[in-house]
């Protein structure tokens, strides 16, 4: 991107952050969209979260993908074009393409071009000669696949239980859109965290070392830096709580005392104990995920899990 385009993109992003913050902080129950957690510092902290002893999803999913690589390759068949939604550092994409039979291409899709480069490099190294065709797009909206893919069978890849960070209606909408983008006959390899004991879930999102707390609180620092807000981050603390009715872990920033915050010329008041809901991580029982997929046009073909049944990896088929 040229310097001018990059500045326009940064300005548009800042305007969107401010608009989302004004809307979220004006709501009767304050909230902020979780996508804003992932600036450069947020991405660095998230990377650290994936290595925490309490945070089982990354290592469990990686173990399933490693141990079932042969079964996945066989079910998918040869010649697949892999389309990964939000590839992060490309570690899981590299693991997947290494195991597949002669994949046709790897297409990482993300809004952040700088992350796409890292993922593309990592996958190219794992599978020398594989065409890597990054797409800069917000995968929560419709986007087009590169025409160069031709008729190769599509394999969507959406690991990390990112599906759980959507509200169930948004998750269904994502799956329907992915069905349209990837087309009839496509498959989708989807990682989804399973329902389990509250103590295990709450520890995974509120670790002893405080990394997840720093990740959550970084949102307030970001609003100060990029949106000109005057949050006192020391006036808030991170809380993760399992909501059994909605089967999700909710992350909140809790006001430790009454306070006011200015943002874009407006003042927002917090009572002591009032929270900003920053993220939810929905956990899916297998039957619920199967139904969600079916309602979006995907038939569940296989499900793999680990011996402790912590995490599930699904192969869905668009019939
Ligand atoms: N998809 C991840 C999950 O729901 C994202 C995540 C992990 C996360 N840890 C977090 C989001 C802590 C916010 C805070 O497990």
């Amino acid at each position: 991107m040229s310097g001018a385009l990059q500045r326009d993109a940064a300005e548009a992003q800042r305007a969107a952050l401010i608009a989302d913050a004004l809307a979220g902080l004006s709501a009767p129950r304050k909230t902020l969209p979780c996508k804003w957690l992932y600036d450069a510092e947020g991405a660095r902290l998230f990377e650290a979260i994936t290595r925490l002893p309490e945070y089982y999803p990354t290592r469990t999913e990686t173990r399933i993908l490693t141990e079932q690589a042969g079964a996945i390759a066989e079910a998918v068949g040869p010649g697949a074009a892999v389309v990964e939604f939000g590839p992060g550092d490309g570690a899981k994409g590299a693991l997947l393409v290494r195991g597949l039979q002669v994949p046709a291409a790897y297409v990482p899709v993300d809004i952040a071009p700088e992350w796409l480069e890292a993922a593309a490099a990592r996958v190219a190294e794992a599978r020398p000669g594989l065409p890597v065709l990054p797409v800069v797009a917000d995968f929560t909206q419709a986007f087009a696949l590169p025409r160069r893919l031709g008729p190769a069978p599509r394999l969507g890849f959406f690991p990390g239980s990112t599906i759980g960070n959507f509200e169930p209606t948004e998750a269904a909408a994502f799956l329907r859109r992915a069905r349209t983008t990837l087309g009839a006959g496509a498959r989708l390899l989807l990682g989804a965290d399973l329902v389990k004991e509250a103590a295990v879930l709450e520890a995974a999102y509120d670790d002893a070392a405080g990394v997840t707390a720093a990740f959550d609180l970084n949102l307030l620092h970001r609003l100060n830096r990029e949106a000109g807000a005057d949050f006192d981050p020391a006036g808030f603390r991170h809380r993760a709580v399992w909501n059994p009715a909605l089967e999700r872990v909710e992350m909140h920033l809790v006001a430790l005392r009454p306070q006011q915050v200015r943002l874009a010329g407006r003042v927002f008041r917090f009572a002591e104990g009032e929270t900003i809901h920053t993220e939810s991580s929905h956990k899916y029982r297998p039957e619920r995920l199967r139904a969600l997929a079916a309602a979006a046009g995907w038939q569940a073909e296989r499900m793999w899990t680990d011996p402790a049944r912590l995490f599930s990896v699904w192969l869905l088929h668009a019939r």
Side-chain angles (χ1 to χ4, degrees), residues 1-270:
M1 260 201 253
S2 76
L5 278 178
Q6 232 154 23
R7 271 193 306 281
D8 288 353
E11 195 41 50
Q13 161 123 326
R14 207 176 79 87
L17 172 65
I18 292 173
D20 279 359
L22 289 175
L25 295 175
S26 307
R29 304 183 64 178
K30 295 181 174 66
T31 179
L32 291 169
C34 62
K35 67 174 177 185
W36 299 112
L37 289 164
Y38 297 87
D39 63 350
E41 177 66 359
R44 189 189 69 75
L45 287 164
F46 182 69
E47 183 60 32
I49 288 173
T50 65
R51 287 188 301 257
L52 290 168
E54 295 95 334
Y55 193 73
Y56 61 87
T58 307
R59 63 174 172 275
T60 309
E61 183 180 48
T62 300
R63 176 178 170 188
I64 296 169
L65 292 172
T66 304
E67 290 180 354
Q68 304 297 343
I72 292 168
E74 194 173 324
V76 168
V82 176
V83 178
E84 182 168 6
F85 302 92
D89 64 5
K92 289 175 195 166
L95 178 60
L96 177 64
V97 301
R98 216 182 288 124
L100 290 177
Q101 302 167 30
V102 288
Y106 175 69
V107 182
V109 183
D110 206 290
I111 13 177
E114 61 278 13
W115 297 5
L116 279 177
E117 278 163 40
R122 190 143 179 182
V123 172
E125 193 183 287
R127 196 93 201 199
L130 179 73
V132 175
L133 310 168
V135 171
V136 180
D138 175 355
F139 62 73
T140 68
Q141 312 289 322
F143 66 92
L145 292 175
R147 296 184 47 194
R148 271 186 58 197
L149 288 182
R154 277 38 166 161
L155 174 64
F157 186 38
F158 196 39
S161 202
T162 306
I163 189 86
N165 301 126
F166 292 128
E167 292 301 314
T169 52
E170 295 167 357
F174 168 82
L175 290 172
R176 266 194 305 276
R177 241 183 347 258
R179 166 80 178 66
T180 306
T181 306
L182 297 168
R187 288 189 165 81
L188 178 64
L189 191 64
L190 175 71
D193 197 14
L194 295 166
V195 172
K196 61 186 65 62
E197 271 170 79
V200 175
L201 287 166
E202 288 176 355
Y205 295 89
D206 193 4
D207 60 284
V211 182
T212 311
F215 174 70
D216 206 3
L217 286 161
N218 176 54
L219 190 52
L220 303 185
H221 292 283
R222 181 176 193 181
L223 285 166
N224 289 349
R225 270 193 311 266
E226 292 179 37
D230 67 350
F231 278 100
D232 172 15
F236 290 83
R237 79 174 176 85
H238 168 73
R239 180 164 76 204
V241 57
W242 172 242
N243 180 330
L246 298 176
E247 296 194 328
R248 68 188 196 188
V249 178
E250 294 178 2
M251 275 148 288
H252 293 265
L253 291 168
V254 186
L256 294 171
R257 47 177 167 75
Q259 53 200 292
Q260 336 189 336
V261 174
R262 298 185 158 274
L263 194 154
R266 298 207 13 217
V267 176
F268 297 95
R269 289 184 174 75
F270 289 82

